[in-house]
């Protein structure tokens, strides 16, 4: 019987037989969802995925598509088009009658139910277009003016992966009953307890804060400034509408409780259990001021406070520093307007009040801090000067400030110089390390945020992209997201504001006007292990 020739067997190709470099090349190109699946294929593939995401990563994109669902899908698809494991997400929207809950639900579905997410309304957005990649600053009012209808919409989404840090959203709760104060002490202690539980240190690396537009953030920032280390950077938006998702489910049940969130803090704390070989993340902050001081200093003589449905107003008289004559509101404003006679246009006026206040948390030891607090000037008559808000006391000193595009432009240039100096310092350090060691760990910026006053922008400077320019000029390829907001929160600027004098450094400034607060996130890889 004739034997049949044996069939040649084609060897089967398995995942294990694929060259590791080829696998890494393939996996590196996967979108985030497929990347997450690839990490579960095998132990070796998981190690490859960890190598790809070995350092922090930001992804950001905006869309002005008038179909809100399409716009949301565009930004989500863009930020998840490359490998990333979301540790947090921030979405800022512009438009009228926007349903934030719909946006939050969609993002939670795409990014995970335990990913800390904040969705907020903004007066404008800045970043790169999800489709064209073009960088733009878009102000809501200017966008409406250029549009054919009032149904304008825009959204910017930022997702971050920060190995070595742990992130969560912590709310400031306020009773829904009228005239009940927010639980500020509890809020501050919750942040400290959370940071201590994950890092062993009560002060986090940084906080991004979003305040409700009906809540007063002044006492919040005063207590945070008192309670946190000077190294803790805080930026954010003072007055907005927002929704959030925390990684801890019990923090999300505010819709049906007797409380509402008066603010929410994205808290970035160091992970004391971070894997070996993980580098160090640092937060750096800078401020571009857009106001200039004008006129003499005054001392408040009589102070009255009145309240209404739209907020609280302070009525005051004052005398010039070193003089005895008591001046009414009209006299004071006449003096200031005479000094503004050469100003082009009609600038916004503020008084910057120097307030010495005793700060404490719970039963802890108190400390006296000196704050510079801005109040909008609402007018004056032959009796009183009218200032927005309250908190001014008899004996407080104040000075007038006015919005000033020239000063703001110069300040933006100074921020850009400081960013450039930061890069040069890093390069010099790396060069010196290279001379004595083979283990050079290059520090680099991996992402950033910009919080700019809604009074700034193209109409203020008469040119585009000024507020973005310090970031774009120094870190052109790095993801950046920004918003134009109503009240800029900023604390922890000393590291990049080298031109401040000792008196300015002694003043605590947390809530700003006509300013832009910048947050840079940098990363230094861990030295190689031998």
């Amino acid at each position: 019987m004739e034997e049949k020739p044996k069939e040649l067997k084609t060897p089967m190709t398995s995942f294990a037989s694929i060259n590791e470099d080829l696998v890494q090349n393939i996996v590196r190109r996967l979108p985030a969802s497929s990347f997450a699946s690839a990490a579960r294929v095998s132990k070796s593939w998981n190690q490859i995925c960890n190598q790809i995401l070995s350092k922090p990563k930001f992804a950001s994109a905006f869309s002005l598509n008038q179909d809100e669902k399409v716009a949301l899908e565009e930004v989500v698809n863009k930020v998840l088009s490359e490998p990333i494991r979301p540790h947090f997400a921030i979405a800022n929207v512009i438009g009228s009658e926007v349903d934030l809950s719909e946006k939050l639900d969609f993002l939670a579905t795409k990014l995970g139910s335990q990913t800390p997410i904040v969705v907020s309304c903004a007066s404008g957005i800045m970043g790169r277009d999800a489709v064209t990649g073009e960088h733009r600053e878009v102000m809501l009012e200017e966008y409406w003016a250029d549009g054919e209808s009032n149904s304008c919409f825009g959204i910017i989404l930022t997702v971050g992966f920060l190995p070595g840090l742990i992130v969560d959203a912590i709310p400031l709760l306020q009773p829904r009953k009228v005239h009940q104060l927010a639980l500020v002490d509890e809020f501050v202690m919750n942040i400290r307890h959370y940071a201590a539980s994950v890092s062993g240190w009560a002060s986090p690396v940084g906080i991004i804060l979003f305040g409700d537009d009906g809540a007063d953030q002044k006492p919040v920032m005063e207590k945070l400034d008192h309670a946190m280390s000077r190294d803790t950077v805080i930026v954010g938006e003072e007055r907005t509408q927002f929704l959030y998702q925390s990684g801890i489910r019990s923090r999300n049940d505010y819709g049906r409780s007797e409380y509402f969130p008066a603010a929410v803090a994205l808290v970035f704390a160091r992970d004391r259990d971070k894997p070996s070989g993980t580098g160090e993340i640092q937060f750096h902050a800078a401020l571009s001021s857009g106001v200039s001081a004008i006129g003499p200093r005054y001392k408040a003589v009589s102070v009255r406070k009145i309240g209404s449905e739209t907020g609280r107003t302070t009525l005051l008289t004052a005398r010039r520093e070193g003089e005895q004559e008591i001046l009414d509101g009209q006299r004071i404003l006449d003096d200031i307007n005479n000094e503004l006679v050469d100003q082009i246009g009609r600038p916004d006026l503020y008084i910057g009040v120097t307030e010495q206040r005793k700060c404490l948390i719970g039963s802890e030891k108190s400390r006296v801090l000196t704050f510079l607090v801005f109040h909008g000037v609402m007018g004056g008559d032959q009796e009183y000067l009218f200032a927005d808000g309250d908190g001014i006391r008899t004996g407080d000193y104040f000075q007038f400030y006015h919005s000033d595009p020239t000063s703001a432009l110069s300040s933006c240039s100074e921020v850009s110089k400081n960013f450039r100096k930061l890069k040069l310092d890093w390069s010099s350090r790396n060069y010196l390390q290279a001379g004595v060691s083979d283990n050079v760990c290059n520090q680099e910026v991996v992402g950033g945020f910009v919080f700019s006053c809604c009074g700034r922008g193209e109409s203020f400077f008469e040119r585009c992209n000024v507020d973005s320019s310090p970031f774009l000029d120094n870190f052109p390829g790095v993801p950046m997201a920004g918003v134009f907001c109503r009240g800029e929160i900023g604390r922890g600027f000393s590291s990049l504001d080298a031109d401040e004098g000792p008196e300015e450094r002694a003043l605590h400034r947390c809530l700003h006007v006509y300013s832009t607060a910048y947050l840079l996130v940098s990363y230094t890889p861990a030295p190689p292990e031998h």
Side-chain angles (χ1 to χ4, degrees), residues 71-121:
L72 198 54
E73 289 175 354
E74 282 182 353
V75 295
V76 168
N77 290 340
K78 180 62 178 178
V79 301
L80 298 183
S81 62
E82 295 182 357
I84 193 167
R85 291 169 177 160
H87 284 172
F88 74 95
I90 299 174
N92 311 103
V93 300
I94 57 174
S96 59
E97 299 179 1
V98 176
D99 185 354
L100 294 182
S101 61
E102 183 182 87
K103 312 297 180 289
L104 180 61
D105 291 343
F106 182 85
L107 292 174
T109 301
K110 294 291 185 177
L111 303 177
S113 61
Q114 293 191 328
T115 301
I117 303 171
V118 177
V119 182
S120 76
C121 293

Side-chain angles (χ1 to χ4, degrees), residues 142 344-345 405 409 455-466:
E142 297 168 358
I344 299 173
L409 194 60
R456 290 172 59 126
E458 189 171 352
S459 62
F460 183 64
F461 292 107
E462 297 185 343
R463 63 179 80 172
C464 63
N465 294 340
V466 172

Side-chain angles (χ1 to χ4, degrees), residues 126 236 286-292 350 374 401-404 407-408 411-412 415 450-457 460-461 467 483-490 493 497 509-518:
M126 58 183 90
L287 183 76
S288 164
S289 176
V291 292
S292 294
Y350 300 87
F374 291 100
Y401 292 79
H402 66 93
S403 55
D404 184 354
S407 174
S411 185
C412 266
V415 170
V450 179
F451 294 88
S452 186
C453 173
C454 60
R456 290 172 59 126
F460 183 64
F461 292 107
D467 288 306
V483 293
F484 290 99
C485 50
R486 294 182 298 136
E488 314 86 65
I489 295 171
F493 298 124
D497 285 352
R509 293 173 295 167
C510 298
L511 301 175
H512 306 270
V513 293
Y514 269 91
S515 298
T516 299
Y518 298 89

Side-chain angles (χ1 to χ4, degrees), residues 54-282:
S54 60
K55 68 178 186 177
K57 184 171 184 177
F58 278 70
S60 183
F62 79 77
S63 173
L64 301 178
N65 197 303
Q66 294 309 287
D67 187 320
E68 294 185 19
K69 291 185 177 179
V70 173
L72 198 54
E73 289 175 354
E74 282 182 353
V75 295
V76 168
N77 290 340
K78 180 62 178 178
V79 301
L80 298 183
S81 62
E82 295 182 357
I84 193 167
R85 291 169 177 160
H87 284 172
F88 74 95
I90 299 174
N92 311 103
V93 300
I94 57 174
S96 59
E97 299 179 1
V98 176
D99 185 354
L100 294 182
S101 61
E102 183 182 87
K103 312 297 180 289
L104 180 61
D105 291 343
F106 182 85
L107 292 174
T109 301
K110 294 291 185 177
L111 303 177
S113 61
Q114 293 191 328
T115 301
I117 303 171
V118 177
V119 182
S120 76
C121 293
S123 299
I125 54 179
M126 58 183 90
R128 295 202 178 276
D129 189 286
V131 177
T132 66
E134 175 192 8
H135 179 91
R136 289 180 62 187
E137 293 181 0
V138 180
M139 194 74 77
L140 181 58
E141 291 181 0
E142 297 168 358
Y143 187 32
W144 266 336
D146 293 339
E148 298 179 358
S149 70
N150 287 337
S151 59
C152 297
F153 177 78
I155 182 170
I156 184 164
L157 173 64
T158 305
V159 171
F161 168 69
L162 298 174
L165 298 185
I166 296 181
V167 191
D168 203 6
I170 298 177
L172 163 63
L173 298 180
Q174 182 166 337
R176 294 186 186 275
K177 292 181 180 179
V178 182
H179 306 308
Q180 293 283 321
L181 297 177
L183 308 178
V184 179
D185 282 19
E186 184 177 328
F187 174 62
V188 174
M189 287 190 285
N190 284 343
I191 291 175
R192 294 201 305 191
H193 291 160
Y194 171 75
S197 68
V198 299
S199 69
W201 179 245
S203 284
V205 176
I207 296 171
I208 300 180
L209 187 73
F210 297 87
D212 183 78
D213 56 8
D216 184 7
Q217 303 304 319
K218 180 172 172 279
V220 180
M221 287 308 304
E222 286 179 356
K223 296 213 171 193
L224 280 173
D225 193 37
H226 160 71
M228 299 297 154
S229 159
R230 297 308 302 166
D231 295 330
T232 299
V233 172
I234 306 175
V235 296
E237 184 168 5
E238 183 182 356
R239 297 183 299 276
T240 184
Q241 297 174 6
F242 65 85
L243 291 176
Y244 72 90
Q245 170 181 280
S246 169
I248 299 175
R249 184 170 297 181
S250 61
R251 292 189 181 136
N252 299 327
D253 191 27
Y254 53 85
R256 297 184 298 275
S257 73
E258 65 219 52
Y259 300 96
F260 75 92
V264 64
L266 270 180
V267 180
F268 300 79
R270 297 206 184 279
D271 181 5
R272 62 182 166 196
D273 298 322
K274 69 177 184 180
S276 62
T278 304
E280 289 294 323
I281 294 173
Q282 280 186 278

Side-chain angles (χ1 to χ4, degrees), residues 294-298 320-321 323 335-336 339 398-400:
I294 189 168
R297 289 184 81 203
Y298 295 84
R320 295 187 190 94
E321 186 178 22
E323 298 183 9
D335 290 346
I336 298 301
E339 298 214 26
F398 64 88
Q399 185 164 20
F400 279 82

